[in-house]
Amino acid sequence: GIEWTGGSTAEGYVQVAASHPVGQGIANETLQFHGVADHYRLAGAEAVAWLLSDADTRTDFPSVTVYRYGRGQAALWAFDLARSVAYTRQGNPAWAGQERDGEERIRASDMFKGWVDLDRIAIPQADEQQRLLVNLLSVMNQEKRPLPRLWYFPGAAESVLVATGDSHYNPASAIEDVLSRVEQRQGTMSIYYAPFPTQNPRRAVKRAVLEAVDLPLIGDILASQFTSPGPSHVAEWRARGHEFALHPYVDEVLEEGWLDAWQEFTGVGYGPVSPSVRTHRVLWTGWVETARYQASLGIRMNLDYYHWGAAFQYAEGKWANGHFTGSGRPLRFVDEQGNILNIYQQLTQLTDEQLIDLPWGEGAKMGAEKALEVTQAMLARSVAGNYCAIATNFHVDPFAFGGEWVAEAARLLEGTLDYAAAQNIPILTAVKWLDFTETRDGANLENVQWYASGQRVSFELRTTRDQDAALTVMIPQRHKEIELVQIEIDGVAVEHRRRNVGGMEYGWVVVPAGSHQIVATFS
């Protein structure tokens, strides 16, 4: 249904045809793609989306098409969607290791200076294009069978707030202060802790002192002189549902920095090392070398793609906020050869040092009230249809400094958490979000069968992880001229709710992780 012209457009934009059924619910704005799109003319196919040569100039060439032929259908994507998504999320590989934003040291954000259109940063562009692909698959399957799928978040949640805080040698009292504020909002938090480095003999003494703090009589004396968290503090925080994880310094060499931090963290009794991480100063090596090395250590979620610095400032001085990777959801890293690494990238969108004035901050310094407008707007957009996990960094350090620094930091922390709680957005640690993500990604919907005589679709949900996660199965509300009327799980009818996602209406049902037989009946 198309004819190739021989031309192409590189590093352009696409725009969804809002009137087409496949384009329902997808962002109306023009969206970036990375790579090369071939030029085609329509020759019977329908245009689902159009190619643009820049943000505003539409061409006559489609970027996505669908075509009926005989008893089947054929769809076309004019560019390599998978490669574009990887480049959108991970930055330009040609710029890896380059200092591009004028900030000292190299971070992942250097690969996005001039790579992401700041006018589009509020849109999760990669997620929108993947959602367009899902719509395409659903529409193309409509005549044959309803196509079930899984929702992005636990249960019926429309977003999650991944609450994290970096902590540099801070006393246990400051960490407890922050965690207590989070608990008051029924949340849990990840603390990325950097212990003060010591050598082996002194480390053993340090551990003995920290453990002795719990002893009667002498413990009170030691606690007044040695304020660092002890193993008992860490154990209690974890028992309360929080994550206490490593915050490694890698200022000189990646591997040596990790080795030193690992030895200190475990040597003073803070182990085991948690599977999520944020690096101190979010320093980054290569295109994915940092992620590859962390994966080799068993780290499975990285939060180093971090919204901070001059890469996100307009020439006139205004700051952009949003999803600079084009995504608010975790996806495993992919290397230069296309190999998938066993470690997820989770963008950190909301960072206090970018928004408010901190002792070391160089960001917008807009004050807590203005900063709350940014954090609340991002959460509101997620619930309204962006469907993003919003990761934060609320440093513990201001709560250790005391004085004027506490008021601004506490206002931003509590105001963001209060808004999330009011919107029924779960406040989770990074490791809890990782556990759910791995459970969801390990789930399969198998043996999907349509029985025309009984007007029902039957399939199996199978999960490979034994987690206490609540997965939400979505079944199209309509199939041809008939509507979904009942869902059964393992032979028992259950209530379901209707929900519009990406312009398509679904019946939702929450299912515990495990293996289940699901039957949906239409009438």
Side-chain angles (χ1 to χ4, degrees):
I2 48 90
E3 296 175 347
W4 182 47
T5 70
S8 63
T9 294
E11 301 300 318
Y13 292 74
V14 299
Q15 186 168 34
V16 172
S19 60
H20 197 282
V22 173
Q24 298 300 305
I26 307 299
N28 292 325
E29 297 89 344
T30 57
L31 307 173
Q32 285 180 279
F33 72 87
H34 294 294
V36 177
D38 292 329
H39 289 174
Y40 299 94
R41 291 191 187 92
L42 293 175
E46 301 170 5
V48 173
W50 294 94
L51 186 64
L52 290 87
S53 56
D54 57 42
D56 303 308
T57 308
R58 205 190 93 171
T59 70
D60 294 328
F61 307 115
S63 57
V64 183
T65 65
V66 64
Y67 179 56
R68 290 183 176 278
Y69 186 81
R71 296 173 60 193
Q73 299 174 77
L76 168 119
W77 221 276
F79 58 92
D80 186 336
L81 177 62
R83 182 184 297 272
S84 178
V85 167
Y87 285 8
T88 300
R89 292 183 60 113
Q90 295 178 203
N92 187 349
W95 295 346
Q98 296 182 17
E99 173 52 70
R100 295 182 50 82
D101 65 0
E103 307 284 1
E104 182 187 12
R105 296 301 186 100
I106 295 171
R107 299 170 180 81
S109 54
D110 280 293
M111 294 185 287
F112 291 85
K113 175 70 172 177
W115 188 245
V116 58
D117 183 343
L118 296 183
D119 290 337
R120 303 292 184 275
I121 201 170
I123 308 167
Q125 299 185 86
D127 294 349
E128 287 294 299
Q129 293 181 54
Q130 290 177 97
R131 192 149 46 231
L132 180 64
L133 175 62
V134 172
N135 281 5
L136 183 64
L137 294 172
S138 295
V139 169
M140 292 177 72
N141 269 276
Q142 274 182 349
E143 293 189 8
K144 182 177 181 182
R145 61 185 177 184
L147 193 65
R149 53 183 289 212
L150 292 172
W151 178 234
Y152 308 120
F153 304 115
E158 297 175 319
S159 176
V160 298
L161 182 71
V162 184
T164 77
D166 294 352
S167 179
H168 307 87
Y169 323 144
N170 298 140
S173 59
I175 298 173
E176 177 61 35
D177 185 5
V178 173
L179 295 181
S180 296
R181 295 172 194 257
V182 176
E183 287 177 352
Q184 290 169 14
R185 280 83 183 172
Q186 289 72 54
T188 53
M189 187 176 189
S190 295
I191 299 296
Y192 293 116
Y193 190 75
F196 193 83
T198 53
Q199 299 301 316
N200 282 332
R202 295 185 62 190
R203 188 179 299 129
V205 173
K206 180 179 177 180
R207 177 168 185 168
V209 170
L210 292 175
E211 290 178 340
V213 168
D214 294 325
L215 297 176
L217 299 178
I218 192 175
D220 292 338
I221 300 173
L222 291 173
S224 65
Q225 299 181 38
F226 299 93
T227 60
S228 298
S232 61
H233 290 110
V234 173
E236 181 192 347
W237 292 330
R238 287 172 174 160
R240 284 154 53 185
H242 302 291
E243 179 183 16
F244 194 82
L246 187 55
H247 187 54
Y249 280 53
V250 296
D251 293 49
E252 303 305 325
V253 180
L254 176 65
E255 293 84 352
E256 290 182 12
W258 261 96
L259 179 61
D260 291 344
W262 192 292
Q263 289 178 337
E264 184 68 28
F265 192 86
T266 57
V268 297
Y270 296 157
V273 175
S274 191
S276 82
V277 74
R278 183 183 296 115
T279 307
H280 177 60
R281 300 176 73 186
V282 287
L283 302 181
W284 193 259
T285 302
W287 194 49
V288 292
E289 195 52 43
T290 290
R292 193 195 324 273
Y293 182 71
Q294 290 177 358
S296 73
L297 298 175
I299 305 300
R300 305 196 309 279
M301 179 170 277
N302 174 283
L303 289 93
D304 285 342
Y305 278 66
Y306 186 86
H307 194 107
W308 176 86
F312 312 116
Q313 188 173 25
Y314 288 91
E316 66 271 21
K318 184 177 70 171
W319 294 90
N321 298 285
H323 312 279
F324 72 84
T325 64
S327 179
R329 295 199 296 275
L331 192 69
R332 287 187 175 95
F333 283 93
V334 59
D335 70 11
E336 296 86 345
Q337 288 74 43
N339 301 305
I340 296 173
L341 308 181
N342 189 28
I343 179 170
Y344 287 90
Q345 175 208 65
Q346 173 61 56
L347 173 66
T348 306
Q349 297 100 323
L350 297 176
T351 66
D352 53 3
E353 59 189 328
Q354 176 77 359
L355 296 172
I356 63 174
D357 189 14
L358 294 175
W360 64 90
E362 300 176 1
K365 298 186 177 183
M366 62 179 66
E369 295 306 320
K370 284 288 185 183
L372 280 172
E373 293 178 11
V374 173
T375 65
Q376 293 173 3
M378 193 173 296
L379 288 167
R381 286 195 300 270
S382 179
V383 170
N386 276 1
Y387 307 130
C388 293
I390 307 298
T392 68
N393 186 14
F394 300 115
H395 280 82
V396 175
D397 303 69
F399 297 85
F401 298 157
E404 61 180 302
W405 303 112
V406 175
E408 283 283 282
R411 178 72 184 109
L412 179 60
L413 168 67
E414 294 180 349
T416 303
L417 296 176
D418 285 340
Y419 186 85
Q423 299 297 316
N424 296 315
I425 297 173
I427 303 167
L428 305 179
T429 64
V431 74
K432 287 180 181 176
W433 178 229
L434 169 63
D435 285 342
F436 172 80
T437 297
E438 290 184 326
T439 299
R440 179 185 181 275
D441 284 4
N444 288 312
L445 302 177
E446 301 175 347
N447 302 319
V448 181
Q449 301 289 334
W450 171 250
Y451 300 94
S453 58
Q455 298 189 134
R456 68 184 190 273
V457 64
S458 171
F459 58 94
E460 298 171 24
L461 168 66
R462 296 190 180 277
T463 56
T464 57
R465 290 170 58 89
D466 184 18
Q467 289 291 334
D468 226 0
L471 298 175
T472 300
V473 175
M474 304 162 59
I475 302 169
Q477 182 63 36
R478 295 180 183 85
H479 176 63
K480 296 183 180 178
E481 316 305 319
I482 55 179
E483 290 213 7
L484 175 65
V485 294
Q486 179 177 281
I487 299 177
E488 297 177 32
I489 301 175
D490 299 326
V492 178
V494 297
E495 289 189 16
H496 68 275
R497 57 178 289 202
R498 288 190 178 192
R499 178 69 201 279
N500 190 293
V501 177
M504 304 214 173
E505 196 168 16
Y506 293 90
W508 276 28
V509 61
V510 178
V511 185
S515 297
H516 303 279
Q517 182 73 36
I518 300 175
V519 177
T521 303
F522 292 73
S523 179

